[in-house]
Amino acid sequence: GAGAVSGSGASPDAIAIVGLAGRFPGAADVDELWRNLCAGRESITFFNDAELAAAGVPRELADRPDYVRAAGVLDGVELFDAGLFGLTPREAELMDPQQRLFLECCWQACEQAGYDTLSYPGRIGVYGGSGSASYFVFNVLPNVDLATDGMQVKLFNDKDFLTTQTSYRLNLRGPSVAVQTACSTALVAIHLASQALLEGECDMALAGGSTVNFPHRAGYVFQEGGIGSPDGRCRAFDARAQGTVPASGAGAVLLKRLDDALADGDTVHAVILGSAINNDGSGKAGFTAPGVESQIRAVAEALALAGVDPDTVGYVEAHGSGTPLGDPIEIEALTRAFRASTRRRGFCAVGSVKSNFGHASAAAGIAGLLKAVEALKHRQIPPSLHCEEPNPLLRLGESPFYVNGTLADWPANGVPRRACVNSLGLGGTNAHVVLEEAPPAAPGSPSRPWQLLTLSARSAPALEAAAARLAGWLGDHPEADLADVAHTLRVGRHGFAHRRALVCRSREEAIAGLKAAAAPSGPVPGSDRGVAFLLPGTGDHEVGMGAGLYREEPCFRDALDRCAEALRPHLDADLREVLYPAGGGARAARDLRSLLAGAGEDEDPAGLRLGRTAFLHPAVFAVEYALAELWKEWGIRPWAMIGYSLGEYVAACLAGVLSLADALAVVAVRARLVDALPPGVLLAVPLPEGELAPHLARHPELSLCAANGPGLSVAGGPEEAVARLERELRGRGVSCRRLRTRHAFHSRMMEPAAGELARHLAGVRLAPPRIPFLSNTTGTWITDAEATDPAYWARHLCRTVRFADGLETLMAGAGAEPPLLLEAGPGQTLGTLAQQHPRRPAGLTAVASLPGRSRISGPEDEPGQLLDALGRLWAAGAAPDWAGVAARERRRRVPLPTYPFERRRYFLEPRAPERRAAEPAAAAAAAHPEPAAPRPPRLHARPALST
């Protein structure tokens, strides 16, 4: 068992309970179970004639005086979400509801802990057991031909396969062990799972049990001296106690080594300090009778392994089955174990969850454990029902215990609150677990001002249900840390096909956004979609671009700082002062627009130099590079790239053609050479290249600078020549627009700089690209020869940007799935061009990182824009690295609403075996009697021979 030091909290060997789930009579989940316990609510159902008849109980049996019309039942045991667990309808019908419930509880326990088992890289074990195969007997056998379906029936009904089915359906790769010790099954499973964790056999472990009785809504026959109650009530510890009531239920907990749980930011519900199991052997009155001495040893061993003084235990959740024999023996064993170190009386409360809804057999231990865990969490002890006059045979007045009959606060006594759980199996396997309240959670680090909430489901209705449940939960939990909620949703939930992402700054915004109608996303492709980067040139830049990211995102800031430091000798300035001048923002942006419109540089405020090409190109490169680095930290790595003009240099750097230092130096030289050239103008013309060509032929000073689409070209050259072309085109009804630039890039005006650029590149190491990217000059994939040729990059400055051709090549190379494009720079021009391309495939998605200031109030909203882009990528099928998104923060996994199962009816109705044609057979036998069969030989008692 795990160990602890008394009075000092849990040791490194302690086991944390990080996830829990359960479904019991009257309680669809653990929260409802706790509310029922606190309210002292009994959840045993008493049946009328019609209910018993519907369950197939013969009238002659139901009317017997010894037939008790009571049981702890579960609503909807015939319902199940088969598709979620990869089961066909026929398989779901055959599967024992005990397996189905255990599957659901294990799924919920993992989600409640914030873990997606389908993608978890470590080993998760599963330990559990189920009750008797009554569904097989009453429902499956009368409906199934075992000769045909025998193997399927076995796999879905045999106890051997409860845990292995769970491991298979949930992708669990740790030990998978079926545990069968009757009533103590679930608590024994928890002990074995804890041991496996301490031995390092797995990283986490699921443990629990499941019992569903069939016929389900039926009672039982009372037998004098048996464990059944004669009146349908379990009066644990009461003088009138005569037995318990059969019940159905299921539950599971997710366990983890405490040190690991704390390091990983898990929510710890309680801590297992120690546990022990043993068996009575033959030292008792009979096989089904309890044994005192072994119970004492189990309790004492668990306390010793936990290092806990019994004096510090405030509550014991007893087996408490309410039998005249069992309760006194259990209290005697507990008393003698506690008396080994304390003589105090009446300081420890005792109770039994069986008094609320009966005995759930293989799930009884998990029911008791969940009750004790919730008591520790809420620091309250709920009442044990129906104990009006304690059984004098318990001798409570001489013991450390008292039966708690009302909801009571649980004060601290100088040490952490501690509870014990006792579970006794019919046949003698005893289990005892020592619990302690969870240590205080470490505070989280400051978080981003914006949060990205992600939801997904297998269908659109389930997605709506998930959104509604989360909105309701946020409304009920004003104390929730929205950053932790967002983190848990991202790392702790599987990404199903129907997705929704929401960016918000507050809990109120989150609730409003979740309640608002969302446009249907449509199912995303089954596999993760690759992302292609679009890297823009200049034109959508602003003073202060990236300022919000520089302030809030360390990865972006670190990358931009590296660029700024490397550029110091080339710019003779600090790029950060150029990008983010004091008093920048809206005024600086207006000044930049004035400068680009032709205002004199002497009117430019001090430090605002971004309008000059010498500063603008290095600044745009640095911002795009820093953005790309942030995207990569978030797990968005391009399978391909296409840059526009200067953007191709960013692509080359990201692809490894140029080192960052060399790329910055080349861009700075290129920008300085261009900056020294005479000014020029670029003119956007809404004509295809072929229709614009005759006009350019009449103006030899002009060049076709870019072919952006079948109906969108860019011409450029000296201002006077561009003005003549502009007048000519407008005279023909063609509306043109001048672009924001001071030079005619990719025109003949660049040729004087090209030679000098080639000479500089001759001394730079160029390597073949490690990531494919498109060439502006050819419109197809760049070759290794081109990428490593200095002359290519010199020509690139003067040649036409064939962006439309490059887009077509990129989209054709995306494969069967529609491409997912990310504009990794300021603006959304390139994404718009892609969406307008006549050969774009259906389903193309283009996402902008920083769409522009027109959509936001200032740089402070840029982090929200980028998270919105991340959410849109994920909703379209990308696979971010959510751990990378939270890499610079200390976040916790918190319990949130789990998946909204879409349960449907999968159930084989019980029916009586078909009656054979007995009457004709009987008549034939009477007419033709068979010879009398010889009598079998008499059997004699075997003598007591020695072995």
Side-chain angles (χ1 to χ4, degrees):
V5 178
S6 180
S8 64
S11 79
D13 287 339
I15 300 297
I17 299 173
V18 297
L20 38 84
R23 188 169 161 199
F24 298 96
D29 53 38
V30 176
D31 288 340
E32 191 170 9
L33 172 65
W34 176 248
R35 290 194 295 270
N36 289 347
L37 294 175
C38 290
R41 186 172 294 119
E42 184 184 65
S43 299
I44 292 173
T45 301
F46 291 84
F47 309 110
N48 57 34
D49 289 342
E51 289 172 316
L52 292 176
V57 179
R59 183 61 182 265
E60 57 270 23
L61 176 61
D63 288 343
R64 283 172 47 171
D66 58 351
Y67 188 79
V68 183
R69 301 179 167 213
V73 303
L74 299 175
D75 292 330
V77 292
E78 72 279 6
L79 305 178
F80 184 56
D81 190 342
L84 178 65
F85 297 104
L87 288 156
T88 67
R90 179 59 172 169
E91 290 171 334
E93 284 182 339
L94 290 175
M95 180 177 270
D96 189 333
Q98 295 179 122
Q99 285 196 20
R100 302 189 328 198
L101 273 176
F102 191 70
L103 263 176
E104 289 184 347
C105 286
C106 288
W107 177 284
Q108 290 175 318
C110 291
E111 280 204 337
Q112 205 251 4
Y115 286 93
D116 169 24
T117 65
L118 300 178
S119 61
Y120 179 69
R123 293 175 301 164
I124 301 177
V126 56
Y127 296 78
S130 56
S132 60
S134 54
Y135 181 73
F136 169 72
V137 173
F138 290 102
N139 298 63
V140 176
L141 274 180
N143 288 283
V144 174
D145 181 0
L146 289 180
T148 303
D149 300 321
M151 179 53 73
Q152 272 201 320
V153 169
K154 182 176 182 179
L155 295 177
F156 293 128
N157 287 270
D158 197 304
K159 290 181 175 184
D160 286 357
F161 303 108
L162 174 83
T163 56
T164 49
Q165 283 280 6
T166 302
S167 296
Y168 174 68
R169 304 292 166 185
L170 302 188
N171 189 36
L172 311 178
R173 295 181 296 278
S176 191
V177 181
V179 181
Q180 298 302 153
T181 63
C183 320
S184 60
T185 291
L187 208 64
V188 170
I190 289 163
H191 166 80
L192 296 176
S194 301
Q195 295 298 311
L197 286 167
L198 294 177
E199 292 294 330
E201 294 178 352
C202 49
D203 303 297
M204 294 193 290
L206 286 158
S210 176
T211 292
V212 183
N213 300 312
F214 289 93
H216 192 59
R217 304 185 69 83
Y220 57 95
V221 175
F222 169 72
Q223 294 179 322
E224 194 71 41
I227 63 170
S229 166
D231 62 358
R233 287 196 160 84
C234 179
R235 295 180 167 85
F237 316 117
D238 189 69
R240 296 181 298 156
Q242 290 181 273
T244 189
V245 182
S248 297
V253 289
L254 183 64
L255 308 178
K256 195 172 185 179
R257 291 179 288 271
L258 179 60
D259 283 353
D260 293 344
L262 296 176
D264 294 342
D266 298 328
T267 290
V268 178
H269 298 278
V271 176
I272 297 176
L273 297 181
S275 61
I277 61 173
N278 64 16
N279 191 272
D280 296 332
S282 61
K284 54 184 180 179
F287 176 71
T288 61
V292 176
E293 296 301 327
S294 292
Q295 289 188 34
I296 295 170
R297 285 194 292 270
V299 176
E301 184 179 345
L303 289 167
L305 288 168
V308 164
D309 187 336
D311 221 30
T312 66
V313 176
Y315 177 67
V316 171
E317 172 63 20
H319 186 71
S321 57
T323 60
L325 178 65
D327 285 0
I329 288 179
E330 182 178 14
I331 295 299
E332 180 186 352
L334 288 167
T335 298
R336 288 173 59 183
F338 273 49
R339 280 286 177 256
S341 62
T342 180
R343 307 308 300 173
R344 291 175 60 206
R345 299 180 181 182
F347 66 88
C348 182
V350 67
S352 171
V353 74
K354 294 178 181 65
S355 67
N356 295 87
F357 55 72
H359 191 338
S361 185
I366 188 66
L369 184 95
L370 290 173
K371 175 183 174 182
V373 168
E374 291 296 298
L376 288 166
K377 283 170 56 178
H378 295 276
R379 300 174 178 179
Q380 291 180 303
I381 301 176
S384 193
L385 307 185
H386 309 311
C387 185
E388 299 171 2
E389 180 182 343
N391 186 342
L393 296 177
L394 304 179
R395 296 187 294 176
L396 288 179
E398 304 170 20
S399 79
F401 306 108
Y402 66 94
V403 178
N404 187 61
T406 59
L407 179 64
D409 290 332
W410 189 348
N413 293 316
V415 295
R417 295 169 182 83
R418 290 168 180 158
C420 294
V421 184
N422 210 38
S423 192
L424 313 174
L426 200 66
T429 298
N430 311 301
H432 196 80
V433 172
V434 181
L435 300 173
E436 183 174 277
E437 64 182 334
S445 64
S447 66
R448 296 178 173 92
W450 299 77
Q451 301 301 331
L452 171 63
L453 308 182
T454 55
L455 293 171
S456 74
R458 294 182 68 251
S459 71
L463 183 59
E464 292 178 11
R469 290 171 66 168
L470 181 59
W473 186 91
L474 288 170
D476 293 339
H477 294 81
E479 78 288 353
D481 185 319
L482 193 60
D484 289 340
V485 171
H487 174 67
T488 304
L489 290 172
R490 296 192 300 258
V491 302
R493 298 294 185 270
H494 185 66
F496 291 105
H498 292 264
R499 300 182 177 188
R500 182 177 175 187
L502 170 67
V503 174
C504 53
R505 284 174 293 189
S506 66
R507 187 174 64 94
E508 292 73 23
E509 280 188 13
I511 294 172
L514 291 166
K515 289 182 176 179
S521 65
V524 299
S527 58
D528 296 330
R529 295 175 67 184
V531 178
F533 279 10
L534 308 180
L535 298 156
T538 60
D540 287 313
H541 49 274
E542 296 276 3
V543 170
M545 58 183 172
L549 299 179
Y550 188 83
R551 182 175 61 250
E552 301 291 345
E553 295 294 342
C555 178
F556 182 92
R557 181 169 58 250
D558 293 346
L560 196 99
D561 285 345
R562 291 198 303 273
C563 292
E565 293 302 324
L567 283 166
R568 276 184 186 272
H570 302 288
L571 300 183
D572 195 25
D574 189 327
L575 180 68
R576 291 159 292 201
E577 296 176 1
V578 177
L579 267 172
Y580 313 128
R587 176 185 173 187
R590 286 195 302 272
D591 292 336
L592 174 59
R593 284 191 285 271
S594 299
L595 177 63
L596 292 169
E601 291 186 23
D602 56 345
E603 300 173 13
D604 196 26
L608 202 164
R609 292 162 283 184
L610 191 61
R612 289 182 53 194
T613 302
F615 294 110
L616 177 59
H617 283 206
V620 170
F621 180 99
V623 168
E624 291 186 13
Y625 175 82
L627 258 178
E629 288 296 289
L630 180 54
W631 280 120
K632 289 195 293 182
E633 180 175 83
W634 289 358
I636 304 299
R637 297 175 177 272
W639 68 268
M641 297 177 286
I642 179 170
Y644 191 103
S645 185
L646 174 66
E648 191 167 330
Y649 280 81
V650 184
C653 179
L654 296 174
V657 174
L658 290 155
S659 68
L660 177 60
D662 286 341
L664 290 167
V666 169
V667 167
V669 168
R670 180 179 182 268
R672 186 171 64 250
L673 292 171
V674 172
D675 199 39
L677 296 176
V681 177
L682 292 177
L683 185 70
V685 182
L687 291 176
E689 178 181 348
E691 293 184 27
L692 180 59
H695 297 283
L696 295 179
R698 290 191 288 272
H699 303 280
E701 311 99 311
L702 300 181
S703 304
L704 176 67
C705 300
N708 293 333
L712 185 57
S713 303
V714 177
E719 201 280 335
E720 299 82 1
V722 171
R724 290 196 299 272
L725 176 64
E726 197 173 11
R727 288 192 297 270
E728 178 182 314
L729 291 172
R730 286 180 176 169
R732 294 174 178 269
V734 179
S735 178
C736 306
R737 179 174 58 88
R738 294 194 178 198
L739 301 181
R740 292 175 54 193
T741 180
R742 302 179 71 211
H743 296 281
F745 296 100
H746 301 280
S747 73
R748 293 182 181 88
M749 296 187 73
M750 299 290 105
E751 291 175 354
E756 184 63 30
L757 180 61
R759 283 189 289 275
H760 176 79
L761 281 161
V764 175
R765 181 182 180 276
L766 301 173
R770 294 192 296 267
I771 303 173
F773 64 91
L774 280 301
S775 163
N776 282 176
T777 64
T778 65
T780 187
W781 300 106
I782 196 165
T783 66
D784 289 355
E786 288 171 330
T788 55
D789 182 5
Y792 169 84
W793 297 101
R795 292 194 303 272
H796 181 274
L797 182 60
C798 308
R799 297 284 182 86
T800 301
V801 174
R802 299 205 165 273
F803 189 70
D805 294 339
L807 276 179
E808 185 172 342
T809 304
L810 175 67
M811 291 186 289
E817 294 180 357
L820 189 51
L821 308 179
L822 171 64
E823 192 153 355
Q828 50 190 338
T829 300
L830 303 189
T832 301
L833 291 175
Q835 290 171 323
Q836 293 173 348
H837 199 285
R839 297 188 181 179
R840 67 189 182 279
L844 178 142
T845 300
V847 176
S849 300
L850 299 174
R853 296 288 169 79
S854 60
R855 291 179 51 186
I856 57 175
S857 58
E860 66 274 8
D861 290 333
E862 286 178 341
Q865 281 189 329
L866 203 67
L867 285 176
D868 179 68
L870 179 64
R872 292 176 63 196
L873 289 173
W874 172 80
D881 177 6
W882 296 123
V885 175
R888 308 297 181 109
E889 298 182 8
R890 187 173 62 252
R891 297 265 61 87
R892 298 178 61 236
R893 288 176 165 91
V894 294
L896 296 175
T898 56
Y899 189 83
F901 296 131
E902 294 182 281
R903 295 186 176 104
R904 293 178 173 83
R905 184 181 179 86
Y906 300 102
F907 197 67
L908 295 175
E909 293 292 346
R911 60 188 179 94
E914 293 183 7
R915 298 188 64 176
R916 306 291 181 186
E919 291 79 6
H928 305 282
E930 293 284 338
R935 292 185 178 182
R938 293 187 63 186
L939 300 179
H940 295 270
R942 182 175 185 277
L945 301 177
S946 62
T947 60

